Structure formats: C-alpha cells, structure tokens
Amino acid sequence: MDELDRILNEEQLSPPTTFVQRVMRAVMQEASTPPPIPFPWRYAFAALAAMVAILIAWFLLSPVVPSGPLARGGTDLQRTIAAIDPSLLAWCTSIGAALIGLLRYSVRFVTD
Amino acid sequence: MENDEDLAAVRAVVAGNSAAFAGIVERWQGPLFNLAYRFCRDRSQAADMAQDAFLKIFRALPSFREQSTFSTWMMSVAMNMFRSHQRRTRPNLVALDAALDLPHWGNWGLEERTSRDETVRLAVQALPEKYREAIVLFYFHEMNVDKAAQTLGIRPGTLKARLHRARGRLERNLRRRLGTEPVPEET
C-alpha cells in the first residue's frame, strides 16, 4: 500500500450521538404529513374532451348565416369555415392555449 | 443476515410502520455519515447530508424492488443525493496553490503530516466529479472495486480506468506542488 492509499484509507468517524433520534424525528414528521394530492388526470381529460365536443357541436349546430362569395358556392367544409367568426376563433384559440398553460403549470405542484 | 434484517425493516416500513426505519438508521448511520463526510469534509454538514439521505431513502422505500441488495440500492440513493447536494452548493474546492505551502514529503513532523494528509484529502475534492466519486467510493468501500462500481452504477472496468486517471491527476498535482520529483504529464 503506498502513501496515497494510506492517506485516503481514512479511519471511520462516528456520527453525532443523537443522530438516530434526530433522523427519526424528521422521518416521523415526514410520515405524519399527508401525501400530496395526486393530479386528477381522469377528470381533467374528461373535462377537456367535453369542452372540445361542445365547441365542435357549437360550430356545427349554430345557425350562422354564411356571407361573402363562398356563401353561394364551394363545398360544405368551405362554407362552414367561411361562416366562422374570426373573433370567435381567436377567443377559442386563446382559451385553449390558456387551458393547456394552466394544466402544465398546475402539474408542477402535484405528484402522479 | 444484515440484508435480512434490512428487508424485514423495509417491508415493515412499507406496510405503514414508520418506526421500523430506526433499525435501518442505526445499522447504516456510520457508513452514510462517513460517505457524506468524504464529500464535504465537514462533520456538521455531513450529519445534515446523511439525514437528508435517510429521508430520501425513507420516501423511496416503496420503489425498492429487491432486485439488488438493500445496501447497494440505499448507497445509490444516497450517492445521488450527495452528488446533487455537491452540485447545488459550491464544492469545498481546495486552492492547491495556496494550501500547499508545506515542506517536502520526507521532512514532516506529526502536525505537518496531519496537515499534509488533510491537504491530500482536500485535493481529492478538487478533482472533476467522475474522478472524485471514483476515488471516494473506492476507498469508502475499502478498495473493493466491484462494490464501488455497483454503487456508482458503472462497470468495474470503467471504475478502474477512472481510478487510474484520478490517481495520476492527484499525484501529479500534489508532487508538483509539494516539491518532489516531477511526474510526466499524462498523454
């Protein structure tokens, strides 16, 4: 064994005498703390799906009168798209983005 | 036998008997405290680090799958904790140029020897992380390559290579600064 081995093979130190009590106090405190509430993924996805379904139904069923050149010609899809109010689309996009943002932010505070 | 006692304690804790964790703390307080000390070289900080490691182990117990021995698993959890702790806090890097204002290896009195030994141990702290961990774990496990490699989660051959390079760096730094014969640069 060379000099470096001798130096690095240090003798064992003893932990403080109250170490076990100290650790166990922290452990018992940890054990008595209620576990974090898991994120309700099932409800979140159900709500998201319901919201998307409502939006789709609204677009398809709302009695919007198409205007402009496409109102008289083009396919059904083209007429539907032309009928969508741009401000409504902007609102829906904003709400969707905000929802996704809030979901991602809230996930930081919960465990699976 | 030790592992049986640990496994019994683990199962009891997972079943809801948190007090059973005391057996694990009693059996492993020495090794974890010493391992923590080798990373920070401060008794008070080592006690805090070891306590945090035990808490992390306690929280992680339900994920222990008994595929490895409890001690190996526990040491890996503690190592990860010590590693992230050391990355978070500024490591106690020794400024070798300033610290090694000491005489030659051969002419040391007891006080100087003690000081030199501590300087060498502090010099280990100045090594890059992978070399420092290799050295710390190797000597912590009483020079058992397999155990040290298991704790680090690397192959024994990789550990041997890291040890070789770590010792080379360490000796070169120390000899250059302590004024003994020069060691050729590693290529």
Side-chain angles (χ1 to χ4, degrees), chain A residues 10-95:
Chain A
E10 341 180 20
E11 59 187 70
Q12 299 289 305
L13 301 171
S14 297
T17 48
T18 56
F19 185 73
V20 177
Q21 292 95 305
R22 187 178 135 181
V23 172
M24 284 313 292
R25 221 175 10 252
V27 165
M28 296 315 275
Q29 192 178 353
E30 171 88 13
S32 63
T33 309
I37 301 165
F39 190 81
W41 283 109
R42 192 187 301 172
Y43 295 111
F45 281 126
L48 200 65
M51 196 192 79
V52 171
I54 289 167
L55 279 176
I56 291 170
W58 188 19
F59 282 135
L60 297 179
L61 302 176
S62 58
V64 179
V65 180
S67 59
L70 281 174
R72 289 177 297 279
T75 64
D76 286 349
L77 181 64
Q78 284 173 322
R79 275 198 297 275
T80 307
I81 291 170
I84 296 171
D85 184 350
S87 64
L88 178 69
L89 194 65
W91 269 108
C92 290
T93 310
S94 306
I95 290 168

Side-chain angles (χ1 to χ4, degrees), chain B residues 17-169:
Chain B
N17 178 12
S18 303
F21 194 68
I24 292 173
V25 180
E26 273 163 22
R27 273 191 294 284
W28 293 101
Q29 56 171 328
L32 251 59
F33 174 76
N34 276 279
L35 184 57
Y37 180 79
R38 286 169 189 237
F39 277 96
C40 64
R41 314 240 33 108
D42 178 274
R43 277 172 174 269
S44 165
Q45 201 181 342
D48 289 343
M49 284 166 69
Q51 176 174 328
D52 288 348
F54 274 120
L55 268 179
K56 190 167 184 184
I57 290 161
F58 176 75
R59 287 189 206 115
L61 276 185
S63 68
F64 174 54
R65 295 280 169 258
E66 300 185 22
Q67 286 161 345
S68 59
T69 61
F70 175 73
S71 59
T72 303
W73 176 82
M74 186 191 63
M75 284 294 172
S76 302
V77 174
M79 260 306 295
N80 285 335
M81 220 233 73
F82 297 157
R83 188 180 290 145
S84 54
H85 180 275
Q86 207 164 40
R87 281 177 192 157
R88 266 200 322 274
T89 59
R90 190 177 163 75
N92 186 14
L93 293 182
V94 61
L96 283 173
D97 290 323
L100 295 174
D101 186 17
L102 298 163
H104 274 242
W105 284 94
N107 308 324
W108 304 67
L110 181 63
E111 197 177 318
E112 287 166 335
R113 259 178 76 112
T114 310
S115 170
R116 183 205 61 183
D117 289 2
E118 195 51 30
T119 302
V120 171
R121 288 166 195 153
L122 283 170
V124 172
Q125 304 293 309
L127 289 171
E129 184 179 278
K130 64 179 180 179
Y131 297 136
R132 183 175 64 236
E133 287 180 358
I135 289 266
V136 167
L137 265 297
F138 176 66
Y139 288 101
F140 173 75
H141 283 297
E142 294 166 346
M143 302 168 82
N144 184 322
V145 171
D146 290 336
K147 273 191 179 178
Q150 263 187 339
T151 304
L152 283 170
I154 58 177
R155 287 181 305 173
T158 309
L159 179 73
K160 282 181 191 167
R162 285 184 191 176
L163 279 172
H164 179 72
R165 293 196 189 104
R167 286 177 63 100
R169 277 178 183 239

